[in-house]
Amino acid sequence: MKERRGPGGAARGLEDEVALFKKRTRGSARAYERARRWTVYGVHSNYRVLDPYPLYARRAKGARIWDVDGNAYLDFSMAFGALVAGHSHPTLVAAMRERVANGTIFGFEGEETEKVCGLLCKRFRVDRVKLSNTGMDATMYAMRFARAATGRKGILKFEGCYHGSHDALMAGIKPTREKAGDPRRPNVVPASTGLTPGAQEFTYVAPFNDLAATEAIAEARADEMAAIILEPIPMNMGFVLPRPGFLEGLRALCDRLGALLIFDEVKTCGKFYGGAEEAFGVRPDLKVFGKAIGGGYPISGVGGRKEVLDGVEPGVLSHAGTFNANPLVVTAAHVTLEKILTAKAMKGAARLGDALGKGYTDILADRRVPGLVQYRGISGALVFAPRPITDWRSFLDVDVGRWWGYYTAMLNRGVVPMALGPDEQWTLSVQHAKTDVETHLEAFDGMAAEIPAFRVEMPIVEAI
Ligand code: PMP
């Protein structure tokens, strides 16, 4: 990976912040040296790479996280949106102690699993659900189910959307403008080495928020189209709201083509009580759940119409996994859905999130800092770009170096302001308090005047 993530040592206008970061995080520097003896870059997800070295964490509670040097941070990454419940919610901790003492994997189905499935089906308005562990495996199953149900192969995804790192959808994620080609007919650019071209033979890429272009691409392959998959709010290029009518248009397009509409709700299922359908009023055929539903434990699932999900059959349509629906994650999801991510708690968190977004907007205006905030409810993103981000091509104009300056300066002030990278967003949890939002905004206000001086040339795009 040649791509740099972070300001490193040679950042103009940022030397003081980088020097301070290094002074505060000597333990992380040492942890990095130890870790990279065994593991390249010292991390187990490329998204955790940070230059000059990643932060290594030791513990976390509520809205706070501590690194190995003992520095405390107010956490607004919340593990890339996986922790809407907050770190180690006391209700969850009590339930998990009991669970750990009574079996952590059975190799049989547990009696509690049915309750979690009932909660998911009612909350997200689906007939059936099949559980697994990560967003990656669940989007892969959703695709397979759609192909099996339609007897077709083609999957259309959107440029800039990410659905996990399995081969078929590792395309058109962060392509350079040059490789991506015509904005209205994007090339299918592989996002990793090690993929066979065949793996993406039936993957098509369209521009998000451009219904006419998407229709043209899908209709040119009308007989092949098994499904359209999308993040209803793309959150791997910041925080991009769908234009009014876009989701409705995709619904109608899928109906015309006889293809399935798949909402990858790995992130959105934790942003609104009832997920994207509640927010936008559009019902897809399949929904993929992940991250927040487990309260910090790895559980995911595909939900949807029974005609599609009931196609799963031993020896016919495969769905399997040793750790699928293990009692640890099932108990975690049960407690999280029933007792922690309640409609009331999520409404409270959304109000705080809106206050954070508004606070950023005001500070940017007061301090005359060239930046934009895109937000709704518990999540949002600060971007340094000449115009709002509506799709991948507009994201390509983001000033990546300036963002890393902002991020480093905020870490130095004890706030993890968003998840790692300008393509991410902040997430508030039900354990965040009004004072946490105020502290976050004070830290931003304290460093905002530095932003124009951060000049670091840095690409966001893939290095292959
Ligand atoms: N879908 C979306 C929308 C995601 O944001 C992610 C991860 N950030 C995934 C799928 C993959 O999930 P996981 O990392 O749990 O495999």
Side-chain angles (χ1 to χ4, degrees):
M1 192 168 52
K2 295 186 200 77
E3 168 192 353
R4 286 182 50 200
R5 289 173 64 87
R12 274 194 297 143
L14 234 166
E15 297 87 348
D16 291 351
E17 295 291 356
V18 173
L20 181 55
F21 176 83
K22 287 184 175 165
K23 201 167 148 216
R24 294 171 54 251
T25 58
R26 292 196 171 122
S28 278
R30 286 193 295 272
Y32 174 56
E33 289 309 322
R34 287 193 298 272
R36 72 188 184 137
R37 266 189 302 170
W38 317 116
T39 305
V40 68
Y41 289 97
V43 296
H44 296 272
S45 171
N46 282 358
Y47 295 109
R48 287 183 212 143
V49 171
L50 179 61
D51 201 27
Y53 43 81
L55 269 186
Y56 287 81
R58 181 161 292 155
R59 80 190 178 89
K61 182 110 190 79
R64 281 175 180 69
I65 188 162
W66 286 264
D67 68 14
V68 290
D69 288 279
N71 297 306
Y73 302 88
L74 262 179
D75 187 3
F76 289 79
S77 160
M78 299 319 279
F80 292 81
L83 280 167
V84 181
H87 293 285
S88 293
H89 193 287
T91 311
L92 194 50
V93 171
M96 295 312 285
R97 281 193 207 286
E98 185 66 24
R99 178 69 271 157
V100 168
N102 286 288
T104 57
I105 181 158
F106 297 143
F108 292 95
E109 212 55 67
E111 64 176 346
E112 200 180 0
T113 313
E114 160 277 315
K115 296 207 170 54
V116 170
C117 294
L119 288 169
L120 286 170
C121 286
K122 283 184 206 129
R123 181 172 182 141
F124 296 108
R125 297 162 164 243
V126 292
D127 305 328
R128 301 275 200 269
V129 67
K130 280 279 185 190
L131 299 176
S132 50
N133 295 107
T134 68
M136 161 157 100
D137 59 39
T139 56
M140 186 190 71
Y141 283 125
M143 254 174 37
R144 181 181 298 166
F145 297 169
R147 283 174 166 156
T150 58
R152 299 173 179 173
K153 296 178 187 147
I155 306 280
L156 183 145
K157 78 174 286 283
F158 290 91
E159 206 172 47
C161 282
Y162 175 67
H163 303 289
S165 80
H166 53 84
D167 294 10
L169 295 182
M170 280 294 282
I173 297 173
K174 295 192 183 342
T176 58
R177 210 181 291 277
E178 198 182 32
K179 284 198 178 139
D182 182 348
R184 307 202 72 223
R185 290 189 71 82
N187 295 329
V188 181
V189 183
S192 174
T193 56
L195 310 175
T196 59
Q200 300 182 346
E201 191 182 342
F202 299 101
T203 304
Y204 316 120
V205 178
F208 193 82
N209 266 333
D210 186 337
L211 184 59
T214 306
E215 284 172 339
I217 293 164
E219 275 159 6
R221 281 125 176 158
D223 299 338
E224 262 180 48
M225 287 290 303
I228 294 180
I229 185 167
L230 71 149
E231 298 177 65
I233 302 177
M235 282 187 258
N236 288 281
M237 47 176 163
F239 188 85
V240 179
L241 287 165
R243 287 204 173 105
F246 183 64
L247 299 180
E248 291 84 346
L250 295 181
R251 177 68 276 175
L253 173 62
C254 283
D255 291 342
R256 280 203 303 282
L257 296 173
L260 302 191
L261 184 62
I262 307 173
F263 280 0
D264 175 351
E265 301 226 41
V266 167
K267 283 189 169 177
T268 46
C269 69
K271 307 300 181 195
F272 313 99
Y273 180 81
E277 184 176 334
E278 176 188 295
F280 303 112
V282 174
R283 178 169 299 183
D285 301 287
L286 295 177
K287 300 180 179 183
V288 180
F289 313 117
K291 295 200 193 245
I293 59 168
Y297 291 76
I299 183 168
S300 64
V302 182
R305 291 197 289 111
K306 58 177 180 302
E307 297 78 14
V308 180
L309 271 289
D310 287 353
V312 175
E313 187 185 339
V316 181
L317 176 53
S318 169
H319 178 267
T322 304
F323 286 97
N324 284 3
N326 69 70
L328 272 182
V329 300
V330 163
T331 297
H334 189 183
V335 173
T336 300
L337 291 168
E338 195 170 73
K339 302 201 171 126
I340 301 174
L341 300 188
T342 60
K344 185 163 172 258
M346 291 192 71
K347 235 183 232 148
R351 266 198 300 276
L352 287 185
D354 284 331
L356 183 64
K358 183 168 181 316
Y360 262 92
T361 311
D362 293 347
I363 292 168
L364 289 170
D366 289 352
R367 302 260 169 206
R368 296 209 169 80
V369 176
L372 299 162
V373 207
Q374 299 185 195
Y375 67 96
R376 177 164 167 182
I378 65 169
S379 279
L382 168 65
V383 285
F384 300 105
R387 59 196 165 104
I389 311 302
T390 54
D391 56 13
W392 174 246
R393 303 305 168 104
S394 50
F395 189 85
L396 278 168
D397 295 330
V398 161
D399 186 334
V400 176
R402 190 160 277 180
W403 187 90
W404 282 107
Y406 150 77
Y407 188 78
T408 309
M410 291 296 279
L411 289 184
N412 286 339
R413 285 158 180 78
V415 178
V416 179
M418 303 169 36
L420 195 56
D423 49 342
E424 283 290 334
Q425 58 287 138
W426 60 67
T427 298
L428 278 87
S429 78
V430 298
Q431 293 194 71
H432 280 80
K434 193 163 166 247
T435 47
D436 298 330
V437 170
E438 286 161 4
T439 306
H440 184 150
L441 289 171
E442 275 160 28
F444 182 58
D445 199 32
M447 62 72 61
E450 286 183 46
I451 289 172
F454 295 156
R455 292 211 177 79
V456 193
E457 278 297 314
M458 214 179 283
I460 181 74
V461 293
E462 289 132 359
I464 57 165

